[in-house]
């Protein structure tokens, strides 16, 4: 895969708390691991609670630098896919940390405990 | 769409620079606007450069709190879609800011200037 043009300021994943200027971290490497889950029963409150508890346990994997767990923002725009049930992003500082995460007992337990809840998963991994 | 369970610590989008603990920002709202682009000619260096320049102009929209521009991390795992050419994430603090962004002249110019370069776009918007 081709890399971004050299010197391109490709990332500014900065704190939302301390208002760091978005252009202050141009060369920081961030691996974005974005997972979309479609639950079998997206309106089942108990299933959702179980899944959310699973995610809360999952994000304790120490290689995760930060994370975001969300639900769809609905949109009438055709290019927007708002059909998923949960969005989960884990941010890693490099590929090695994701590899450790993938094999981590907490991650394996999440899959074991929660995979019965979803019918579809798509993962996108992107790095600047 | 159902919301996350009340009190759930759903977000910790924290600075990668200052090592803020990932559990310190449990209630901060973040709208993740994640766009995947499949270019018509993903190996065309000039097309890529043009597209990257377009993104660099796009992220100057002031409502963008932070952003990440990346390319795929290839994976043999079946659940991973690594077929896209570019990943672009803009983080907003709320839906209003995304609405302003969507109508912003810089955003409209990006679409006008660059849409001839891509053959497919998927957008996912998620909020904690």
């Amino acid at each position: 895969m081709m890399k971004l043009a050299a010197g391109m300021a490709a990332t500014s994943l900065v704190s939302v708390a301390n208002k760091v200027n978005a252009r202050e971290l141009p060369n920081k490497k961030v691996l974005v691991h974005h997972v979309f889950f479609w639950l079998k029963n997206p309106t089942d409150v108990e299933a959702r609670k179980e899944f959310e508890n699973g995610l809360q346990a999952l994000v304790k994997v120490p290689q995760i630098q930060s994370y975001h767990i969300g639900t769809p923002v609905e949109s009438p725009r055709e290019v927007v896919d708002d059909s998923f049930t949960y969005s989960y992003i884990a941010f890693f500082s490099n590929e090695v940390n994701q590899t450790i995460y993938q094999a981590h007992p907490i991650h394996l337990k999440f899959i074991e405990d929660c995979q019965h809840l979803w019918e579809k998963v798509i993962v996108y991994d992107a790095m600047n």
Side-chain angles (χ1 to χ4, degrees), chain A:
Chain A
M1 178 50 60
M2 296 184 69
K3 296 295 176 187
L4 296 173
M8 185 189 181
T11 305
S12 73
L13 183 62
V14 295
S15 173
V16 293
N18 61 10
K19 311 288 186 194
V20 173
N21 184 285
R23 279 85 206 172
E24 285 179 13
L25 298 169
N27 297 315
K28 191 80 189 173
K29 288 282 178 190
V30 177
L31 193 166
V32 175
H33 173 63
H34 202 163
V35 188
F36 295 95
F37 296 93
W38 284 259
L39 294 199
K40 288 175 186 165
N41 300 300
T43 60
D44 180 336
V45 173
E46 287 306 309
R48 295 178 70 96
K49 184 74 184 150
E50 186 181 348
F51 186 76
E52 290 178 14
N53 288 341
L55 285 176
Q56 286 303 314
L58 176 59
V59 296
K60 293 190 167 49
V61 175
Q63 281 71 28
I64 297 174
Q65 203 157 26
S66 57
Y67 63 90
H68 181 274
I69 297 169
T71 51
V73 178
E74 290 181 42
S75 172
R77 294 188 301 132
E78 202 175 301
V79 292
V80 179
D81 182 348
D82 58 5
S83 68
F84 62 91
T85 319
Y86 286 97
S87 156
Y88 158 60
I89 308 178
F91 300 94
F92 299 100
S93 54
N94 55 54
E95 289 189 52
V96 170
N97 280 347
Q98 184 182 196
T99 302
I100 295 169
Y101 162 86
Q102 289 291 340
H104 197 286
I106 292 175
H107 183 233
L108 300 179
K109 181 168 164 47
F110 167 75
I111 295 171
E112 188 182 321
D113 289 352
C114 292
Q115 65 184 348
H116 70 99
L117 297 170
W118 66 70
E119 62 179 14
K120 180 181 165 190
V121 178
I122 296 180
V123 179
Y124 299 96
D125 289 333
M127 194 149 188
N128 59 303

